[in-house]
């Protein structure tokens, strides 16, 4: 097959980790007889430096015309003083909106070879961590009206959280269909004791649940969920939640696996085209030093093959190569353990490629 992949290297460690993921994709293409064509799409701080805006129209066009998009990370302290409408993150939000990527899937799975890195008590970790956060990605307070104005002699800022039924329904379907392929349990997370948007969320998710009688639905308040994720993560299979709650809970979920550098994510809309990225940020403190862990991005590339290109065997090959590399005791700094071999970003990429 021939596929065109838009490449957003981004800022900080972005270029290093994406380069390793592209190397792994090339190895898969050679093994399975595919052709992947890469088209660069500058976005984030580097695009502000080169074009004055975080997402130039040409980059957006490239992404909209590609079969999928692979992203490293954007942002960094260099652009902190940009006006809020021109921050690197704005580029990402604009891209998500323009590609209509309403569902963001972030797995929280503990790799058995990395259980020593899990920050939870051993008896809690022993019950296993294997759940998925499905985050609504283009609604809620992120995409509501934002304003700052002078009111009664002081500055007053407002961010509006709004949800329409269809925005809730479509992401709920994603969660239930995912649960059908897993352990058939959806936990919907909201703040229905306080927020109108959450009461609507709860009603619509409950309605969608009726179409999936084989899946159990539980509702949980977000404050309780934040606590339950560290108290007993084994109770979760698929979590579905709105944009801001999902942003917060998915960071918490990744950290308890002990390896934020290992976790990929996919963002999808109606078609097969998606945006794939590691869930970690641009880590400017270690940028350009060959210290970053490229595994999150490499596993994001595997997710792209599986979900956008329907290449399950190819994705399995990448995931198996990552597992074997970890089994061989090869580690980047963030997941280093006693008795293992410390390698840099490039060497980790090469080790994984050699196992494709
Ligand atoms: C994420 C990030 C983004 C978000 C930022 C960079 C805008 O934190 O993908 O979780 O808040 O969605
Ligand atoms: Mg986040």
């Amino acid at each position: 097959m021939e596929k065109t992949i838009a490449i957003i290297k981004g800022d900080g460690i972005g270029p290093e980790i994406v380069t390793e993921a592209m190397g792994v994709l090339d190895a898969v293409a050679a093994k399975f007889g595919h052709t992947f064509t890469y088209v660069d799409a500058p976005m984030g701080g580097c695009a502000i430096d080169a074009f004055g805006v975080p997402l130039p129209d040409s980059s957006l066009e490239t992404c909209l015309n590609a079969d999928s998009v692979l992203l490293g990370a954007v942002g960094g302290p260099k652009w902190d003083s940009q006006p809020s409408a021109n921050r690197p993150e704005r580029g990402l939000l604009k891209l998500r909106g323009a590609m209509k990527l309403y569902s963001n899937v972030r797995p929280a799975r503990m790799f058995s070879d990395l259980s020593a890195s899990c920050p939870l008590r051993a008896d809690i970790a022993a019950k296993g961590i294997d759940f998925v956060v499905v985050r609504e990605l283009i609604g809620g307070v992120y995409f509501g009206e934002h304003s700052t104005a002078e009111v009664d002699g002081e500055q007053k800022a407002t961010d509006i959280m709004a949800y329409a039924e269809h925005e809730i329904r479509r992401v709920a379907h994603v969660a239930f269909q995912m649960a059908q392929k897993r352990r058939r349990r959806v936990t919907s997370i909201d703040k229905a004791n306080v927020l109108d948007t959450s009461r609507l969320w709860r009603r619509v998710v409950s309605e969608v649940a009726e179409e999936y009688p084989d899946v159990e639905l539980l509702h949980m308040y977000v404050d309780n969920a934040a606590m339950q994720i560290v108290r007993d993560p084994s109770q979760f299979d698929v979590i579905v939640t709105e944009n801001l709650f999902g942003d917060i809970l998915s960071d918490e979920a990744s950290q308890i696996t002990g390896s934020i550098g290992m976790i990929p994510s996919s963002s999808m809309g109606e078609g097969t085209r998606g945006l794939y990225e590691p869930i970690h940020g641009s880590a400017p403190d270690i940028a350009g030093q060959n210290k970053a862990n490229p595994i999150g991005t490499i596993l994001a590339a595997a997710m792209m093959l599986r979900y956008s290109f329907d290449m399950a065997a190819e994705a399995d090959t990448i995931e198996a190569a990552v597992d074997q590399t970890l089994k061989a005791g090869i580690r980047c700094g963030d997941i280093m353990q006693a008795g293992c071999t410390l390698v840099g970003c490039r060497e980790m990429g090469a080790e994984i490629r050699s196992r494709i």
Side-chain angles (χ1 to χ4, degrees):
M1 274 203 255
E2 290 183 15
K3 296 287 179 189
T4 302
I5 303 172
I7 298 287
I8 302 176
K9 291 188 174 162
D11 308 313
I13 59 171
E16 303 163 59
I17 54 180
V18 170
T19 299
E20 295 317 314
M22 289 163 71
V24 170
L25 282 171
D26 285 338
V28 168
K31 182 180 167 99
F32 289 86
H34 301 305
T35 305
F36 297 141
T37 305
Y38 307 109
V39 189
D40 262 312
M43 183 178 94
C46 60
I48 295 175
D49 291 347
F51 306 95
V53 289
L55 180 64
D57 290 343
S58 55
S59 292
L60 178 55
E61 194 99 323
T62 298
C63 294
L64 290 171
N65 288 329
D67 293 308
S68 253
V69 183
L70 184 66
L71 164 66
V74 295
K78 181 175 173 198
W79 303 280
D80 272 349
S81 57
Q82 286 285 326
S84 77
N86 209 47
R87 289 181 60 94
E89 294 82 359
R90 279 278 144 202
L92 180 56
L93 297 178
K94 186 175 165 196
L95 182 64
R96 288 173 180 169
M99 291 179 71
K100 301 192 177 64
L101 305 172
Y102 60 78
S103 74
N104 176 222
V105 172
R106 300 186 164 182
R109 176 165 79 92
M110 192 169 64
F111 289 76
S112 56
D113 296 291
L114 298 181
S115 57
S117 312
C118 175
L120 298 182
R121 227 171 49 213
D123 60 309
I124 298 175
K127 292 166 78 180
I129 303 175
D130 180 10
F131 63 96
V132 173
V133 178
V134 178
R135 169 188 175 193
E136 198 292 323
L137 201 59
I138 51 173
V141 73
Y142 274 66
F143 285 79
E145 229 170 85
H146 305 281
S147 64
T148 307
E150 183 90 5
V151 176
D152 296 334
E154 61 178 354
Q155 292 279 297
K156 186 173 176 185
T158 310
D159 303 286
I160 294 188
M161 181 188 278
Y163 268 104
E165 290 181 78
H166 77 274
E167 296 175 301
I168 303 168
R169 195 170 297 119
R170 62 191 181 186
V171 72
H173 280 290
V174 172
F176 283 102
Q177 283 162 20
M178 180 151 297
Q180 282 182 321
K181 295 189 203 132
R182 298 176 44 98
R183 301 194 305 278
R184 292 194 294 279
R185 167 185 283 211
V186 168
T187 308
S188 174
I189 292 173
D190 61 38
K191 190 72 184 174
N193 49 346
V194 178
L195 302 176
D196 268 44
T197 43
S198 283
R199 282 189 278 274
L200 184 67
W201 181 278
R202 198 173 271 225
R203 175 170 73 66
V204 173
V205 172
S206 300
E207 281 168 19
V208 172
E210 288 170 18
E211 297 177 43
Y212 301 89
D214 53 331
V215 177
E216 177 189 17
L217 171 65
L218 301 152
H219 298 281
M220 195 179 276
Y221 296 139
V222 62
D223 47 351
N224 183 30
M227 184 263 280
Q228 295 295 340
I229 286 173
V230 290
R231 195 191 69 87
D232 179 16
S234 73
Q235 70 187 284
F236 297 107
D237 178 25
V238 175
I239 284 176
V240 64
T241 191
E242 67 89 38
N243 205 343
L244 180 62
F245 298 162
D247 178 46
I248 298 166
L249 295 179
S250 63
D251 264 33
E252 186 190 12
S254 67
Q255 182 55 30
I256 60 166
T257 68
S259 51
I260 192 165
M262 304 278 302
I263 301 188
S265 83
S266 72
S267 304
M268 299 192 74
E270 286 307 339
T272 56
R273 192 184 50 214
L275 168 69
Y276 297 84
E277 57 182 311
I279 76 154
H280 60 73
S282 61
D285 52 319
I286 57 164
Q289 299 168 40
N290 194 32
K291 283 185 181 164
N293 182 353
I295 295 181
T297 318
I298 289 169
L299 292 175
M303 266 183 125
M304 170 187 295
L305 299 184
R306 188 182 302 283
Y307 296 114
S308 284
F309 301 165
D310 205 17
M311 297 180 181
E314 291 84 337
D316 287 345
T317 303
I318 295 180
E319 287 165 4
V322 169
D323 279 343
Q324 287 162 20
T325 305
L326 294 174
K327 284 234 154 37
I330 317 264
R331 298 282 189 278
C332 287
D334 60 323
I335 50 172
M336 184 56 188
Q337 285 164 263
C340 291
T341 310
L342 180 65
V343 298
C345 183
R346 282 192 295 275
E347 294 73 25
M348 181 58 94
E351 291 284 349
I352 294 169
R353 270 199 307 282
S354 74
R355 291 174 172 84
I356 295 287

